[in-house]
Amino acid sequence: MRSPADLLFLSGTVEEIEAVTHRMRRLRVTGDRLRTIPWLPGQHVRVNVTPPRDWLRRPGDARRSYSVWGLDRDRGSLDLGVLDHGDGPGAAWSRTARPGQSISLSRPEGRLTLRESAYHLFVGDETAAVAFAAMLRALPTRIPAYGVLVTDRPGGEVPLPADRQLPWVYRGDADPADGRTLLQAVRALDLPGEPGSGYLAGEARTCQAVRDHLVRDRGWSRRQIVVKPFWAPGRRGLD
């Protein structure tokens, strides 16, 4: 008989860990129940990053969200993108994760998924790139994609589909929460005259600033924009 935790969470094992950039790692998780779960490109899972004894005592530290790079139901494997940043419980867990380690995680969830649209706009930092890569792979080739991503320096670019590359800009030594570099790059984008569907993900205030630009300066409706704040300095649960 399954325990209450088994009904709420999926169980898996870290099979392998691969460095993708100097700060991003791909974690492959395997588990029998991963063969049957639904997933839409762009969705994330919530990983339990603290011991069960702490889930009720420190609920704000219990889980952290990680974007799904891909799901292979035949293998029963799920690839997660994990960025090493900050000092929160998620960062602490990711730095100690090792092959063979058991983990528990939620089913894929989230509204950062593709919509029907004449074209698509993807804007975010490196934390958004894993979800965007999955969405770009699923996008029909006939549908145009625009966008821009920001990271700290060359070599920090998370791989995107070869036929769906987006430009990267670099903030250098600036605070990762300083969204000016990305906002300036979005302002310079040559987009079609009519709005499409926009996906903004990454640092919370930067996402808000880009959305404001699209609405105020380019005539987009808020309904045409999906915003997914992955992190924010000092905000519990988004560290």
Side-chain angles (χ1 to χ4, degrees):
M1 180 180 295
R2 288 178 177 171
S3 69
D6 289 334
L7 297 176
L8 291 172
F9 306 116
L10 303 171
S11 59
T13 302
V14 177
E15 181 180 86
E16 62 183 43
I17 301 174
E18 175 191 20
V20 178
T21 74
H22 63 284
R23 297 176 65 215
M24 175 74 73
R25 295 189 296 167
R26 178 186 60 82
L27 270 67
R28 174 159 293 169
V29 179
T30 59
D32 288 340
R33 295 173 68 188
L34 299 178
R35 299 178 186 275
T36 59
I37 60 171
W39 170 67
L40 294 174
Q43 289 184 319
H44 62 273
V45 297
R46 299 181 186 273
V47 176
N48 292 312
V49 298
T50 58
R53 63 179 180 273
D54 294 333
W55 292 355
L56 294 178
R57 186 165 59 89
R58 295 159 48 200
D61 292 339
R63 299 195 293 173
R64 290 297 181 268
S65 298
Y66 297 104
S67 295
V68 177
W69 218 312
L71 173 65
D72 187 331
R73 293 189 179 88
D74 292 335
R75 289 173 48 92
S77 66
L78 185 78
D79 286 357
L80 303 178
V82 179
L83 188 74
D84 186 355
H85 71 99
D87 297 310
W93 170 81
S94 70
R95 291 167 188 155
T96 59
R98 297 292 184 271
Q101 179 177 334
S102 296
I103 67 170
S104 62
L105 61 157
S106 72
R107 292 166 178 79
E109 58 186 272
R111 55 187 291 269
L112 184 65
T113 57
L114 291 170
R115 299 176 169 190
E116 292 289 333
S117 186
Y119 73 92
H120 300 265
L121 173 67
F122 299 88
V123 177
D125 58 29
E126 55 267 80
T127 65
V130 173
F132 288 174
M135 296 166 76
L136 288 165
R137 285 197 302 270
L139 193 63
T141 56
R142 68 181 185 280
I143 305 296
Y146 301 84
V148 63
L149 290 153
V150 64
T151 186
D152 55 351
R153 56 182 171 84
E157 304 98 328
V158 176
L160 300 175
D163 60 343
R164 287 289 193 179
Q165 293 294 307
L166 297 176
W168 288 82
V169 294
Y170 309 110
R171 60 178 173 265
D173 295 328
D175 186 338
D178 185 340
R180 287 177 291 182
T181 297
L182 184 60
L183 181 59
Q184 182 179 3
V186 175
R187 291 181 181 277
L189 287 176
D190 184 11
L191 299 177
E194 295 297 322
S197 287
Y199 313 96
L200 316 180
E203 197 277 322
R205 289 176 297 180
T206 303
C207 290
Q208 293 171 1
V210 173
R211 181 185 61 189
D212 290 345
H213 159 66
L214 293 174
V215 172
R216 181 182 61 247
D217 301 329
R218 295 191 185 251
W220 288 49
S221 165
R222 287 174 178 260
R223 294 190 300 273
Q224 295 167 309
I225 306 168
V226 180
V227 177
K228 176 58 181 176
F230 281 132
W231 66 283
R235 186 179 301 181
R236 191 174 185 184
L238 289 177
D239 50 2

